[in-house]
Amino acid sequence: MRRRMAALRVGMALAGAGLILVSGLVALPPRGFGELDPSTAGSLRITDRNGTLLRELPTGGRRARAVALAELPPWVPAALVAAEDRRFFAHPGLDPAALARAAAANARAGRVVSGGSTITQQLARLLLPAPRRTPLAKALELLDALRLERRLTKPQILEQYLNRVAFGRGAVGIESAALAWFGHSARTLSPGEAAWLSVLPRAPSLYGRPERAARLEARRRAVLERLLSARVIAPGDFAAALKPPLTGFPARPPFEAPHLTEWLLGELPSALAGRAGTLRTTLDGPLQREAERLVRAETDRLARQGGRQAAAVVIDNRTAELRALVGSADFFDTAESGQVNGALARRQPGSALKPFTYALAFEQGMTPATVVADVPEAFPAAGGPFSPRNYGGATNGPVRLREALGSSLNIAAVALLQRVGEPRLLGLLNPLDLAPAG
């Protein structure tokens, strides 16, 4: 009897110690808990002055936009729960029945075919950068799920999950998924659309393929039946959701004002690189599109004279705000160096300086009828004699200033500059901040 009592006391002590150990482990914060910060689960959105999206840059290779649970129709979170974790609101983070069912299925198949993971477990896995699929990793995941349930309410867990789970096509979170597959916000998803999307997280690459449409539709109907049974949707909503069968479409992510957005990304401080948020520019979206149209039209017109590219910048003189920037006629035309930003590319001033040279000449008493020599000549320069050439290579002999300026003759302009004097030209340009560096 004494031995039995002693053994009982030892057993109770060990059980108590085990309970204390488990309680202590559960009391610790889950791994990746700091990743619940919204700034770590999103994308960088660049917009115009009115908030219209120009470009969205994913963080971690995926696009994500957070949306509050309270902003969604009730059938949106309910559809995800129905598809992924029907006992979500009843279990403590682990679902023993689902785990037992998954273990039996894996034993029959001789390999892992089901994980029995709850939404809380999936969230715990999503918070880790590269979760392992080993027995120890699974045990740690279960522990993290218990820890999450200790620190967050069920609605908070569901909101985090909705904003982090992948839906295929690079879309992370229900808002990005709704935009990617149906072209509108998750706030306006219909019951049928919500059920369609709820099927994707289990295997986005499988269910998101057109040839798997019938399989997706069967699972979608099952989700809708669960929503109807739970009275989340009315019979009329159920009937409407079933006809016609939905087929989501992958919308092309916006990529507006490409030269501007590329430039801005290159100018971002390192502390902001890879962070989620919204960068609102001073760009005027409609004006930008009109500028792009005009640059394309002008490039087409100049093509007959050998012109291949053009650029344009529109600045509000009152505020110095950039309203439009077009770096080339077609950003995606690699044959014509379309991705070179002509609005920012450094180039020699060329003919842009000629009118200032002629203005100085007129100030010194010359007239449009004054004659200047347009003949081959070597002019003195800091690096040695300089022999300019006219476009096309021809020379014109003695020409009046009006003809030299109108024809943009290079040799005549340099000859005139020798008479005007380089110091005077620099003195004119320096206050205008137009003088070439050096």
Side-chain angles (χ1 to χ4, degrees):
M1 179 64 72
R2 291 181 179 178
R3 290 181 179 178
R4 290 181 181 177
M5 291 298 294
L8 180 60
R9 284 195 292 269
V10 170
M12 292 177 63
L14 290 175
L19 183 60
I20 292 172
L21 178 61
V22 171
S23 299
L25 290 174
V26 172
L28 294 173
R31 295 170 300 163
F33 192 67
E35 296 302 311
L36 292 175
D37 179 357
S39 67
T40 65
S43 52
L44 174 64
R45 304 177 72 245
I46 303 177
T47 72
D48 71 358
R49 64 189 301 107
N50 298 312
T52 302
L53 184 64
L54 300 175
R55 189 174 177 185
E56 185 176 14
L57 282 301
T59 59
R62 293 172 173 177
R63 290 176 175 82
R65 302 183 191 182
V67 60
L69 191 66
E71 298 176 26
L72 299 172
W75 49 78
V76 174
L80 266 294
V81 170
E84 291 292 316
D85 187 2
R86 280 179 282 173
R87 287 179 287 276
F88 171 71
F89 289 100
H91 63 63
L94 315 178
D95 188 343
L99 289 172
R101 186 173 60 251
N106 295 338
R108 287 193 300 270
R111 58 188 178 89
V112 177
V113 295
S114 176
S117 295
T118 64
I119 284 178
T120 313
Q121 288 176 251
Q122 293 182 53
L123 175 59
R125 192 161 57 243
L126 289 170
L127 294 177
L128 299 178
R132 296 179 180 273
R133 306 293 288 175
T134 63
L136 177 59
K138 187 67 175 180
L140 291 174
E141 176 189 297
L142 295 173
L143 185 58
D144 284 333
L146 293 173
R147 291 167 170 171
L148 281 172
E149 292 273 352
R150 183 184 178 93
R151 283 165 175 76
L152 302 177
T153 65
K154 288 289 187 179
Q156 287 175 326
I157 292 172
L158 186 55
E159 181 175 301
Q160 286 285 342
Y161 174 75
L162 281 167
N163 283 312
R164 292 177 179 275
V165 69
F167 290 85
R169 299 284 183 178
V172 172
I174 190 66
E175 178 70 0
S176 288
L179 290 166
W181 290 104
F182 293 109
H184 60 84
S185 171
R187 298 170 179 84
T188 55
L189 283 172
S190 69
E193 291 169 334
W196 195 96
L197 289 174
S198 74
V199 178
L200 296 179
R202 182 162 296 191
S205 61
L206 174 65
Y207 291 112
R209 293 158 59 182
E211 59 268 26
R212 299 285 184 173
R215 190 170 180 178
L216 187 150
E217 184 61 24
R219 285 191 54 80
R220 185 178 82 98
R221 183 185 182 100
V223 170
L224 286 169
E225 288 173 349
R226 292 169 188 168
L227 294 181
L228 178 63
S229 177
R231 298 184 178 179
V232 176
I233 60 174
D237 297 324
F238 176 79
L242 291 181
K243 55 179 186 182
L246 288 175
T247 53
F249 64 91
R252 180 180 177 182
F255 190 10
E256 305 296 328
H259 285 104
L260 174 69
T261 56
E262 284 288 297
W263 172 53
L264 288 176
L265 290 174
E267 295 294 316
L268 274 181
S270 57
L272 297 179
R275 303 289 290 181
T278 299
L279 177 60
R280 183 176 291 231
T281 70
T282 59
L283 200 78
D284 185 319
L287 182 60
Q288 171 71 22
R289 290 187 287 275
E290 177 64 12
E292 291 173 354
R293 185 190 68 78
L294 291 173
V295 166
R296 284 192 298 269
E298 187 66 11
T299 304
D300 292 341
R301 187 185 69 80
L302 293 174
R304 293 188 291 271
Q305 285 79 41
R308 298 190 301 274
Q309 281 294 1
V313 177
V314 180
I315 296 176
D316 187 333
N317 287 332
R318 296 170 301 172
T319 62
E321 292 178 341
L322 182 70
R323 294 302 179 90
L325 186 149
V326 185
S328 70
D330 184 356
F331 179 83
F332 300 100
D333 187 355
T334 56
E336 292 294 344
S337 302
Q339 294 187 15
V340 174
N341 191 342
L344 298 177
R346 291 182 178 274
R347 62 177 67 81
Q348 293 183 348
S351 297
L353 295 183
K354 289 176 183 174
F356 297 97
T357 304
Y358 283 81
L360 282 175
F362 297 150
E363 283 185 357
Q364 293 180 18
M366 301 183 205
T367 70
T370 300
V371 174
V372 64
D374 185 53
V375 297
E377 186 175 350
F379 297 96
F386 169 57
S387 300
R389 297 182 60 196
N390 291 330
Y391 185 80
T395 55
N396 301 275
V399 294
R400 293 182 174 86
L401 293 189
R402 63 166 62 92
E403 297 167 357
L405 177 58
S407 301
S408 192
L409 299 177
N410 294 332
I411 299 175
V414 177
L416 184 63
L417 179 59
Q418 298 301 307
R419 293 164 65 174
V420 168
E422 292 181 16
R424 286 193 176 90
L425 179 60
L426 290 173
L428 173 65
L429 297 178
N430 278 326
L432 304 176
D433 197 24
L434 295 174

